[in-house]
Amino acid sequence: MADASVIRKTENGKLDVPDTPIIPFIEGDGIGPDIWRAARLVLDTAVAAAYGGRRRIAWREIFAGQKGFEQTGNYLPDQTLDAIRRYVVAIKGPLTTPVGKGIRSVNVAIRQRLDLYSCVRPVRYIPPVPSPLKHPEKIDMVVFRENTEDLYAGIEWAAGTSEARRVAAFLTEEMGARLPPEAGIGIKPISAVNTKRLVARAIAHAVEHDLPSVTLMHKGNIMKYTEGAFCAWGYEVAAERFADRAITEKALFEEFGGRRPQGRVVIKDRIADMLFQQVLLRPEEYSVIATPNLNGDYISDALAAQVGGLGMAPGANIGDDCAVFEATHGTAPKYAGQDKVNPGSLVLSGAMMLDHMGWKEAAESIRRALQQTIEQGRVTYDLARQIEGATEISCSDFARAIADNIDAL
Ligand code: NAP
């Protein structure tokens, strides 16, 4: 019999969410328990306030990282991955990367083993957070970063090893490449299938939210068969799957005089280094950015810094079968257990999760209440040291202040 508390994917890819869904959570290492307690209070308060008890999240703890190791002897137990697959939506705190323990990164492993191919990072200004820009309010973007390939696939060999020498011998002797002696070597695979599913998700997001453009960010002028191919495949999937909803920038100017027809998403591309300039100088021209893994790593943190919110940037890793919402910062071990740090990243990732589930009223109330709390000058240490006249409060008090503001909305 079907479990009435399990979120399901319907045939058209939409979520069927019961009123009391089981949602697994990974508390996380370091500051993870502090920010998880805070985020959970805010999420539960928002759901209760929006739906008056009709809806509620049935949280279920699952283990990874240090706690996973202590419970099962494994940093990423199979049961944890099974639970995320079964319950479709999950949320996690930051996880320590164990040094020299045979796993490169638990976070990367979760993304790869669950095939969570798109890392989605919305970047929007929350006043009055101090920003290095004159007009941070002009930044309203969502980065779709490919999560499964590129240099992050981890295909690399250390300089001086027999493996690196064998690869170097193949490249020089059989493929005619020139290499410096004793180089470390990394491989950068980029494929049509992974590019197209990522770009399709980015375009679908723009269509669903009536956003003006999707920019393919790449370094194809130099890396033609990886980054350049990403760009070409991006345009291809736009033509194949969104012919009636997307137009290229070229068509925009040649056929529509530069005026975007209503309901159409403009597909454009920019060389990566140029886009870093443009998002500083003309941020209002960019909305959704789709990009390979390494570029996406750089641009999403750079954009978050532009709105002053590196510590509060939310994020999600989304595949076809399931999604994991997560704090984008690390475990900040020096603050662990001090009830001190800003839970904003996990709180806002939780709001993204509620959006994803279609519980949009609760999600919106969290964003409004968080902004209100910052406007009231009641903030954690990281913001207090930047906002003149603000009062520093603890992580848990910050969460309670947000929850009070939700109740007062
Ligand atoms: P980090 O944990 O993000 O901390 C770096 C600094 O960022 C902190 O010292 C603190 O700055 C600030 N910070 C981070 N989170 C904050 C919060 N919630 N509120 C306020 N300030 C915050 O980066 P790291 O020290 O490089 O990494 C530590 C561990 O986390 C490593 O094991 C790394 O692999 C892991 N990590 C995990 C993830 C993930 O799980 N997704 C992501 C990145 C890193 P101040 O010192 O200036 O106060």
Side-chain angles (χ1 to χ4, degrees):
M1 203 179 78
D3 187 334
S5 312
V6 179
I7 296 176
R8 297 190 182 283
K9 278 238 150 161
T10 60
E11 272 174 18
N12 61 8
K14 298 258 180 285
L15 293 188
D16 180 7
V17 181
D19 283 340
T20 316
I22 294 173
I23 297 197
F25 67 92
I26 297 168
E27 198 177 52
D29 298 323
I31 55 172
D34 284 347
I35 60 171
W36 168 246
R37 263 191 305 278
R40 180 173 173 162
L41 172 75
V42 173
L43 291 167
D44 285 342
T45 304
V47 171
Y51 309 113
R54 184 169 65 80
R55 286 177 167 166
R56 181 178 61 79
I57 294 175
W59 299 109
R60 179 165 298 179
E61 183 164 15
I62 54 175
F63 302 101
Q66 201 55 41
K67 222 168 168 181
F69 190 74
E70 282 157 18
Q71 302 267 341
T72 67
N74 194 336
Y75 285 98
L76 183 55
D78 284 341
Q79 305 92 291
T80 292
L81 295 171
D82 290 343
I84 298 172
R85 280 188 202 100
R86 173 165 161 73
Y87 295 110
V88 178
V89 170
I91 185 164
K92 67 176 272 293
L95 294 169
T96 310
T97 294
V99 180
K101 297 261 175 49
I103 188 162
R104 290 169 70 89
S105 154
V106 182
N107 299 299
V108 174
I110 290 174
R111 293 168 201 166
Q112 293 188 343
R113 293 198 42 202
L114 294 171
D115 198 22
L116 305 175
Y117 59 83
S118 49
C119 176
V120 184
R121 295 270 300 266
V123 189
R124 193 193 285 168
Y125 179 57
I126 305 176
V129 173
S131 150
L133 298 194
K134 284 193 186 132
H135 291 290
E137 72 285 353
K138 288 185 179 172
I139 294 189
D140 186 1
M141 301 182 201
V142 189
V143 179
F144 281 75
R145 165 191 176 199
E146 207 290 328
N147 241 351
T148 65
E149 55 183 19
D150 196 358
L151 290 168
Y152 270 62
I155 309 170
E156 60 171 3
W157 298 277
T161 59
S162 65
E163 291 87 352
R165 288 196 190 115
R166 279 168 64 195
V167 177
F170 168 73
L171 290 173
T172 51
E173 290 161 23
E174 292 191 38
M175 304 302 290
R178 286 162 58 116
L179 290 178
E182 298 293 359
I185 296 175
I187 302 280
K188 180 182 174 74
I190 290 195
S191 67
V193 65
N194 289 335
T195 296
K196 285 186 173 184
R197 63 182 183 167
L198 182 272
V199 175
R201 190 174 277 281
I203 299 174
H205 177 89
V207 167
E208 189 184 332
H209 296 90
D210 196 22
L211 299 173
S213 67
V214 173
T215 302
L216 305 167
M217 173 195 189
H218 63 94
K219 191 70 186 161
N221 53 332
I222 304 296
M223 291 169 276
K224 298 185 194 315
Y225 308 127
T226 49
E227 301 260 335
F230 177 92
C231 176
W233 289 322
Y235 280 113
E236 258 177 48
V237 76
E240 287 161 4
R241 292 191 41 194
F242 299 91
D244 56 339
R245 299 306 301 269
I247 54 167
T248 62
E249 193 176 41
K250 190 166 177 274
L252 175 73
F253 286 101
E254 289 178 359
E255 295 166 34
F256 299 95
R259 287 172 66 90
R260 180 172 73 98
Q262 211 185 356
R264 295 290 194 102
V265 177
V266 178
I267 312 295
K268 49 191 175 183
D269 75 279
R270 295 290 183 271
I271 301 291
D273 37 317
M274 212 270 275
L275 189 61
F276 273 99
Q277 299 173 25
Q278 297 255 307
V279 295
L280 276 170
L281 301 171
R282 307 213 300 261
E284 63 277 17
E285 291 180 15
Y286 297 93
S287 173
V288 175
I289 294 173
T291 187
N293 200 322
L294 186 60
N295 299 334
D297 194 15
Y298 299 151
I299 193 81
S300 43
D301 272 12
L303 284 171
Q306 281 180 218
V307 295
L310 200 53
M312 288 204 300
N317 297 293
I318 304 178
D320 286 334
D321 301 325
C322 49
V324 177
F325 295 79
E326 67 173 358
T328 55
H329 54 72
T331 58
K334 68 181 174 185
Y335 296 122
Q338 293 181 25
D339 190 20
K340 182 177 172 74
V341 295
N342 188 341
S345 175
L346 196 56
V347 166
L348 290 171
S349 299
M352 273 179 89
M353 181 185 83
L354 295 173
D355 274 332
H356 185 73
M357 292 160 56
W359 294 11
K360 295 192 185 293
E361 303 79 4
E364 198 43 45
S365 75
I366 290 176
R367 286 187 282 264
R368 283 173 57 194
L370 176 74
Q371 176 168 340
Q372 220 172 29
T373 309
I374 298 173
E375 281 166 357
Q376 290 159 349
R378 294 185 289 163
V379 290
T380 45
Y381 84 96
D382 53 315
L383 294 177
R385 67 188 171 190
Q386 301 180 69
I387 302 175
E388 210 176 319
T391 307
E392 178 181 331
I393 58 178
S394 67
C395 176
S396 54
D397 282 345
F398 187 56
R400 261 188 294 276
I402 300 170
D404 288 347
N405 280 327
I406 290 172
D407 283 333
L409 280 174

